[in-house]
Amino acid sequence: MAKASPSFVCQNCGATYNRWQGKCESCGEWNTLVEEAGDSAVPVSIRAKRRGRPFKLESLAGKSVDAPRLPSGMAELDRVTGGGFVRGSVLLVGGDPGIGKSTLLTQATSLMARSGHRAVYISGEEAVAQVRLRAERLGLASAPVELAAETSVEDIIATLSEGATPRLIVIDSIQTMWTDTVESAPGTVTQVRASAQALIRFAKKSGAAIILVGHVTKDGQIAGPRVVEHMVDAVLSFEGEGSQQFRILRAVKNRFGPTDEIGVFEMTGLGLREVANPSELFLSERDLGSPGTAVFAGIEGTRPVLVELQALVAPTTLGTPRRAVVGWDSARLSMVLAVLEAHCGVKLSGYDVYFNVAGGLRINEPAADLAAAAALVSSLANSPLPTDAVYFGEISLSGAVRPVAQTAARLKEAAKLGFARAILPETARGDAPSDAGMALQTVGGLTSLVADIAARGTPRPAGRDSSSSEKNATPARFRRQEG
Ligand code: TYD
Ligand code: MG
């Protein structure tokens, strides 16, 4: 029998080559190609002999058997999955090491098991004793979860095929699994892909919901196989700053639900605690009355979330000023800075700009523009913003403030948390309920907002570009260039 020719597989994107090369042409990464045995030892000439078997085609209107979703009992997790685990679906949960993936899934399986469903936890990384220790710490040791430390996919499937079909199976992690059908070492792209494929096939056939845990590389992608992301039904990413207690679960892909919902958790000594009202958490350690902070009334999925935006604008000592952003799009920041410079006469070229979203949240909404601009100008002008105000609105390249969706929901959340005024786009007033319980201050353009903030500030010693007097209430860098 002819020996299968070797193939070289990129460990980053899964592209295959028949000879080694330094750079993967598909994803551009260097030195990621590793020799792996092919997917199958059976030559194509033998495999191809089988004739196709005709199958029955179904109609779209067919009846589906019983309720396909099962809520986990953790409201924050269910919010992200779209209402619970779908029968026969496969979910990939990614996140940095130590972020709390095993903790989250231990809690989820325990809740499932306690409510009478068969739940299985397979750990490929930790010994049974270690998993037990964690469960004990979480106070869940009594939950009837079935536990094993196994890495062979064939053994796992053989074991789980016996008896009642488990309702939920956790595989922690997919990188440690290996299958006999391919010869590569565990952790390689070929192994991970083949193992995932076998488990997905088992899920579809048996109707069990499977959760795969995936590692994340330093640049934030689920390690090795991006291909696995395409194979599974949903990809959830578990994020958070290591030093902070907040953890955010976010759907990156979801075939059965929305991808804009977030679940918020807090890591405590007793495991992950669900945070039903994230605004309170994100605003809990507010630095009241200091310049450079603004509260943004945002929407994450269906839920309004208030979060503090922080800006620091400081004179630069470098030739090229620094622009550092955490939690927001850096292109978006550049855009807001350019609009401030072009239309409002705010000179920022001599300043470093640092921008941060408090609490480790990542904002994707354009509605944050106005709050970001307010924080930036507040820092530059050394002018604290009113502590009882929230901001939202999109800024267009012309400097106009554009309306955003869900004005009423944003105002309601802000009023609930004790804010007394909102700074919002002019055109949004119509969407605001008459009994918003807040003073509404509309802005048509960015210029008026900037003038308003600057007028209240005491300017700091300026950067290289400024020659303004420090006593001047409206420093030269804020004055509109007329004519
Ligand atoms: P773990 O779930 O093991 O992370 P992962 O599986 O994503 O690698 O969580 C490990 C971290 O969580 C570890 O730093 C300790 C912390 N932790 C708590 O703070 N409280 C707890 O109750 C538990 C179980 C873990
Ligand atoms: Mg783990």
Side-chain angles (χ1 to χ4, degrees):
M1 200 164 87
K3 197 171 172 293
S5 62
S7 62
F8 294 87
V9 182
C10 171
Q11 302 298 302
N12 186 53
C13 69
T16 47
Y17 300 86
N18 51 19
R19 62 182 174 81
W20 190 87
Q21 56 196 53
K23 184 183 180 185
C24 171
E25 278 156 18
S26 167
C27 66
E29 285 292 314
W30 286 90
N31 213 12
T32 52
L33 262 55
V34 169
E35 182 174 352
E36 292 182 10
D39 270 348
S40 167
V42 186
V44 178
S45 53
I46 297 180
R47 272 192 286 154
K49 289 277 159 60
R50 194 176 79 92
R51 275 195 50 205
R53 170 183 60 85
F55 53 84
K56 193 167 152 267
L57 296 163
E58 312 267 351
S59 75
L60 271 178
K63 259 198 282 162
S64 50
V65 261
D66 60 10
R69 267 187 204 279
L70 187 68
S72 66
M74 293 175 93
E76 293 296 299
L77 176 59
D78 291 339
R79 180 196 299 281
V80 180
T81 54
F85 303 116
V86 175
R87 218 172 259 284
S89 73
V90 179
L91 231 125
L92 181 66
V93 177
D96 289 330
I99 200 81
K101 302 181 294 293
S102 304
T103 308
L104 176 73
L105 296 175
T106 306
Q107 288 180 244
T109 36
S110 302
L111 279 173
M112 281 291 223
R114 278 199 174 150
S115 57
H117 301 281
R118 187 175 177 209
V120 181
Y121 192 103
I122 311 274
S123 178
E125 297 192 336
E126 293 164 298
V128 170
Q130 283 171 297
V131 181
R132 278 200 190 125
L133 212 64
R134 182 187 289 112
E136 224 162 87
R137 199 171 144 188
L138 299 172
L140 296 168
S142 63
V145 175
E146 293 170 58
L147 186 64
E150 270 301 329
T151 54
S152 159
V153 171
E154 278 75 29
D155 294 354
I156 292 170
I157 291 178
T159 309
L160 297 180
S161 304
E162 280 171 13
T165 305
R167 191 59 185 84
L168 180 68
I169 303 164
V170 171
I171 305 285
D172 187 3
S173 65
I174 185 67
Q175 271 86 8
T176 55
M177 295 294 137
W178 62 279
T179 154
D180 297 337
T181 55
V182 296
E183 278 163 29
S184 329
T188 56
V189 169
T190 312
Q191 268 296 355
V192 170
R193 190 168 41 191
S195 305
Q197 226 153 27
L199 290 164
I200 290 168
R201 220 176 302 125
F202 175 70
K204 304 283 171 217
K205 206 174 80 198
S206 66
I210 298 187
I211 302 180
L212 306 175
V213 174
H215 290 183
V216 163
T217 53
K218 1 182 222 330
D219 50 352
Q221 300 199 328
I222 296 192
R226 299 236 60 190
V227 272
V228 175
E229 294 192 26
H230 300 298
M231 289 153 62
V232 297
D233 298 304
V235 180
L236 309 185
S237 139
F238 204 35
E239 303 162 1
E241 295 290 319
S243 55
Q244 282 177 334
Q245 301 308 307
F246 321 130
R247 300 284 184 270
I248 292 165
L249 188 67
R250 188 186 287 283
V252 181
K253 157 187 171 175
N254 195 349
R255 283 185 188 151
F256 307 115
T259 52
D260 52 0
E261 293 282 4
I262 58 166
V264 184
F265 298 87
E266 188 182 2
M267 183 60 99
T268 69
L270 292 172
L272 290 159
R273 188 179 69 82
E274 295 179 62
V275 178
N277 190 345
S279 302
E280 262 167 30
L281 189 75
F282 292 134
L283 296 177
S284 62
E285 283 162 39
R286 266 180 83 198
D287 197 359
L288 290 173
S290 53
T293 64
V295 176
F296 165 51
I299 299 278
E300 289 286 340
T302 54
R303 180 163 59 164
V305 174
L306 264 53
V307 59
E308 185 181 82
L309 308 187
Q310 306 165 342
L312 176 63
V313 180
T316 185
T317 53
L318 304 169
T320 314
R322 288 199 61 169
R323 305 284 185 246
V325 197
V326 178
W328 201 40
D329 186 12
S330 57
R332 204 83 207 164
L333 175 71
S334 304
M335 195 202 85
V336 170
L337 294 178
V339 173
L340 282 171
E341 192 136 347
H343 296 289
C344 311
V346 180
K347 290 268 177 301
L348 289 155
S349 50
Y351 293 87
D352 287 336
V353 174
Y354 301 91
F355 190 86
N356 180 40
V357 177
L361 192 68
R362 228 201 113 71
I363 296 178
N364 297 316
E365 262 192 300
D369 293 354
L370 190 67
L376 289 164
V377 176
S378 157
S379 175
L380 181 65
N382 200 21
S383 160
L385 299 171
T387 54
D388 60 351
V390 296
Y391 294 78
F392 61 90
E394 183 180 345
I395 294 172
S396 74
L397 287 179
S398 65
V401 179
R402 293 164 45 84
V404 294
Q406 311 213 46
T407 298
R410 295 175 204 264
L411 292 176
K412 196 170 151 212
E413 176 79 359
K416 199 172 90 189
L417 285 154
F419 286 87
R421 54 181 131 168
I423 289 79
L424 71 172
E426 211 148 69
T427 32
R429 196 191 275 278
D431 302 338
S434 50
D435 57 343
M438 314 183 81
L440 304 181
Q441 182 187 336
T442 55
V443 282
L446 201 50
T447 321
S448 57
L449 179 84
V450 171
D452 193 39
I453 297 172
R456 276 185 284 111
T458 41
R460 257 186 299 174
R464 293 180 317 199
D465 66 324
S466 178
S467 55
S468 68
S469 148
E470 289 194 20
K471 294 192 191 73
N472 194 340
T474 314
R477 57 184 186 275
F478 288 114
R479 274 192 224 121
R480 281 210 75 187
Q481 295 137 332
E482 247 95 33

